[in-house]
Amino acid sequence: MKLFDVYPINDVTIVKAKGSYVWDINGEQYLDLYGGHAVISIGHTHPHWVKRIEEQLEKIAFYSNSVRIPLQQQLAEKLGKISGKDDYQLFLCNSGAEANENALKLASFHNGRKKVIAFSKAFHGRTSLAVSATDNKNYVAPVNETDNVIFLPFNDEQALEDCFEENGNEISSVIVEGIQGVGGINVADEDFLKKIRELCDKYKAVYIADSVQCGCGRSGKFFSHDFAGVNADIYTMAKGMGNGFPVAGVIIAPHIKPKHFQLGTTFGGNHLACAAAIAVLEEIKSKDLMNQAKATGDYIIDQLRQIPNILEVRGRGLMIGIQLSEEFAHVKKNLLYKHQVFTGEAKPNVIRLLPALNLTIAEADIFLEALRSELAAVLV
Ligand SMILES: Cc1ncc(COP(=O)(O)O)c(C=O)c1O
């Protein structure tokens, strides 16, 4: 059997990883500012994370949600404290798409409505409703096509108001990333998020904050949406939550009440996943990683803004987009193959930085030096 070829991939086989570094099969070392797509939050093979998982593995790895799993409650409490959402409720699942799928479903169960507002360049995942709310026709199969999702321009308050005025009583939920990831690192305006809150309150719709990529402390706040100073009704998270162990969460405001069997999962919230997620939160808290992410991110953004030939630098904390022009389209590849630095990308010509939250300034400097030399190289 061969593999189903769904992605173009880099010609690198990683066999070892530690902190912000990975090594390939030939022993070549790479600096990792991509974190396997924003997943590595506290660093590869972090000792506290490894210890927590190993200890749990010796006890019990999995049992279904038909029994009490105290680790889930421990995780919920730690999440409540670190995010400031103590009074919210936690539903655990396995991936970002699944978290959004459940959030959209739950909103619809809650208010009995069908329509979802999503935004231009949004990415919410590959499952049926999540992909219908994703603004890329290539990902949406005919079976996922629906009239229930309305796309509006991102950060356009007037368009949102007009849409609610016209369809207000049919809108079940509004789903929005605090910082669009796949869309190219576009930060949601604070006033835009406030407007979503205001209109959702007015029309009894559910505000869903997709924090799958921008959450878990990456922006400098636990949820990047919280820069706006208003709460969402539901936050979804995944990626950095497990530092590589698949785990996701739906964080639900107290006024949304659970009803048996509306949501469910076999693997979600298993013992190992909880152990991994708890280790991540413990490390973020004990090492003050949200503040470190902000400080290192501010430093990188400031340095980037001084480099000629960069069209725009966007982002917050350690979620940074570097907009280049077409003539620099090769730079991401050169960073990897010439300078041994992994970065992410978004089309067209955006280099995306999604490193571990404990990336050091010295490590950031290695990347900055490589980028400076690449951008200067084209000039001569
Ligand atoms: C904002 C956002 N939501 C949802 C998802 C889907 O997450 P997953 O790939 O874990 O299903 C992603 C993945 O990139 C994402 O960036």
Side-chain angles (χ1 to χ4, degrees), residues 37 95-98 100 123-126 177 181-182 210 212-213 238-239:
H37 211 81
S95 69
E98 205 188 328
N100 285 332
F123 182 90
H124 297 298
R126 311 268 183 173
E177 294 158 80
V182 175
D210 181 342
V212 168
Q213 187 166 151
K239 293 198 187 289

Side-chain angles (χ1 to χ4, degrees), residues 221-277:
K221 277 194 192 290
F222 195 76
F223 293 122
S224 70
H225 298 75
D226 290 353
F227 279 98
V230 291
N231 279 326
D233 298 309
I234 301 180
Y235 296 84
T236 55
M237 54 189 302
K239 293 198 187 289
M241 187 176 178
N243 197 47
F245 199 99
V247 53
V250 186
I251 320 289
I252 305 153
H255 70 275
I256 301 178
K257 304 292 179 207
K259 206 165 175 192
H260 281 180
F261 305 115
Q262 280 186 344
L263 307 186
T265 163
T266 297
F267 291 121
N270 67 73
H271 297 72
L272 273 184
C274 288

Side-chain angles (χ1 to χ4, degrees), residues 10-298:
N10 299 307
D11 187 19
V12 181
T13 306
I14 296 174
V15 292
K16 198 176 87 169
K18 186 101 206 130
S20 286
Y21 287 97
V22 298
W23 287 264
D24 74 10
I25 201 165
N26 304 313
E28 194 78 55
Q29 178 177 320
Y30 299 78
L31 178 64
D32 185 12
L33 269 73
Y34 174 55
H37 211 81
V39 166
I40 302 303
S41 48
I42 59 168
H44 290 280
T45 59
H46 190 284
H48 180 58
W49 178 84
V50 170
K51 183 164 173 277
R52 271 263 184 205
I53 294 174
E54 276 179 355
E55 283 176 1
Q56 188 56 47
L57 199 49
E58 294 288 341
K59 293 182 199 151
I60 176 172
F62 172 82
Y63 205 82
S64 82
N65 284 297
S66 61
V67 298
R68 289 190 194 283
I69 303 178
L71 282 169
Q72 294 182 347
Q73 189 56 43
Q74 283 177 33
L75 174 56
E77 273 158 32
K78 284 184 192 293
L79 259 177
K81 282 218 169 62
I82 204 164
S83 66
K85 315 288 173 206
D86 278 304
D87 55 342
Y88 280 51
Q89 312 151 84
L90 173 65
F91 174 73
L92 288 160
C93 50
N94 311 285
S95 69
E98 205 188 328
N100 285 332
E101 194 79 20
N102 279 296
L104 292 161
K105 257 175 83 173
L106 183 60
S108 176
F109 276 133
H110 173 69
N111 55 24
R113 300 179 185 170
K114 291 185 179 169
K115 299 252 187 244
V116 172
I117 294 179
F119 298 101
S120 50
K121 294 198 173 175
F123 182 90
H124 297 298
R126 311 268 183 173
T127 57
S128 65
L129 191 48
V131 85
S132 301
T134 287
D135 185 26
N136 187 329
K137 295 268 174 296
N138 295 332
Y139 305 161
V140 182
V143 72
N144 303 129
E145 285 167 10
T146 171
D147 293 334
N148 285 334
V149 179
I150 302 169
F151 284 99
L152 298 178
F154 188 59
N155 277 338
D156 186 335
E157 290 177 49
Q158 191 58 52
L160 191 64
E161 263 189 45
D162 294 347
C163 181
F164 265 102
E165 213 158 276
E166 204 175 308
N167 312 284
N169 296 328
E170 289 176 70
I171 306 293
S172 171
S173 59
V174 178
I175 185 165
V176 63
E177 294 158 80
I179 305 170
Q180 289 187 329
V182 175
I185 312 292
N186 307 307
V187 180
D189 292 342
E190 292 172 19
D191 283 346
F192 184 61
L193 297 178
K194 281 188 193 138
K195 180 62 72 181
I196 292 177
R197 177 69 279 164
E198 181 195 315
L199 291 167
C200 283
D201 283 342
K202 182 170 172 194
Y203 290 94
K204 298 193 169 28
V206 175
Y207 168 13
I208 301 173
D210 181 342
S211 301
V212 168
Q213 187 166 151
C214 58
C216 229
R218 176 162 296 287
S219 67
K221 277 194 192 290
F222 195 76
F223 293 122
S224 70
H225 298 75
D226 290 353
F227 279 98
V230 291
N231 279 326
D233 298 309
I234 301 180
Y235 296 84
T236 55
M237 54 189 302
K239 293 198 187 289
M241 187 176 178
N243 197 47
F245 199 99
V247 53
V250 186
I251 320 289
I252 305 153
H255 70 275
I256 301 178
K257 304 292 179 207
K259 206 165 175 192
H260 281 180
F261 305 115
Q262 280 186 344
L263 307 186
T265 163
T266 297
F267 291 121
N270 67 73
H271 297 72
L272 273 184
C274 288
I278 286 171
V280 168
L281 295 183
E282 287 171 341
E283 186 63 16
I284 290 178
K285 181 158 185 280
S286 71
K287 301 285 165 51
D288 199 16
L289 292 187
M290 288 197 267
N291 278 327
Q292 185 171 340
K294 181 179 177 336
T296 314
D298 284 352

